[in-house]
């Protein structure tokens, strides 16, 4: 079973973390990444750009129309995503709860219901 873990944040939150704490938090996250890559359960870990770098792309009359994003008007935005492949929903919940940020912010856990046959 594959699952997507989502972490949210915002620039205000990141800026409020002192540099020495930020360095330790990044190291702790990298250790988490390495631990679950080693078990084969973490397929990918991706940090996203700040919300002011996101774009919305639509097609009008066959041509792309690009505007600033993100789509949702919220205080927090999608900051990181992780792709898991695990034996059970229970295991996915265990891994999500082990995420270093989980004691401060919730981790969204989404089951992946299907994927393209070419993957």
């Amino acid at each position: 079973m594959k699952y997507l873990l989502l972490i949210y944040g915002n620039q205000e939150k990141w800026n409020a973390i002192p540099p020495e704490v930020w360095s330790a938090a990044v190291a702790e996250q990298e250790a988490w990444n390495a631990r679950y890559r080693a078990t084969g359960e973490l397929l990918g870990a991706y940090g996203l750009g700040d919300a002011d770098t996101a774009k919305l792309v639509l097609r009008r009359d066959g041509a792309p129309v690009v505007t600033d994003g993100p789509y949702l008007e919220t205080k927090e935005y999608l900051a990181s995503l992780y792709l898991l492949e695990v034996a059970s929903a229970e295991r996915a919940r265990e891994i999500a709860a082990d995420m270093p940020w989980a004691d401060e912010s919730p981790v969204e856990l989404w089951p992946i219901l299907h994927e393209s046959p070419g993957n």
Side-chain angles (χ1 to χ4, degrees):
M1 301 176 70
K2 289 187 179 168
Y3 286 85
L4 186 63
L5 302 180
L6 302 175
I7 305 296
Y8 291 86
N10 59 44
Q11 201 57 50
E12 180 182 337
K13 179 179 180 177
W14 312 139
N15 289 341
I17 301 171
E20 63 280 0
V21 173
W22 182 254
S23 295
V26 169
E28 187 176 1
Q29 185 62 53
E30 287 302 327
W32 184 94
N33 294 348
R35 181 168 51 256
Y36 293 107
R37 275 194 186 106
T39 68
E41 295 169 305
L42 179 62
L43 302 180
Y46 309 93
L48 304 178
D50 291 332
D52 62 356
T53 66
K55 302 295 179 201
L56 297 175
V57 180
L58 298 168
R59 187 175 53 244
R60 296 279 192 246
D61 300 320
V65 176
V66 180
T67 59
D68 288 339
Y71 182 74
L72 298 173
E73 298 278 336
T74 64
K75 181 179 177 184
E76 294 193 332
Y77 54 83
L78 184 59
S80 301
L81 59 101
Y82 302 84
L83 181 59
L84 303 178
E85 186 163 21
V86 295
S88 67
E90 180 181 4
R91 180 63 177 151
R93 289 189 295 270
E94 289 172 0
I95 293 172
D98 192 40
M99 174 75 67
W101 297 99
D103 54 357
E104 296 177 27
S105 300
V107 177
E108 280 191 21
L109 178 63
W110 289 73
I112 296 176
L113 300 180
H114 60 85
E115 68 183 283
S116 174
N119 292 345

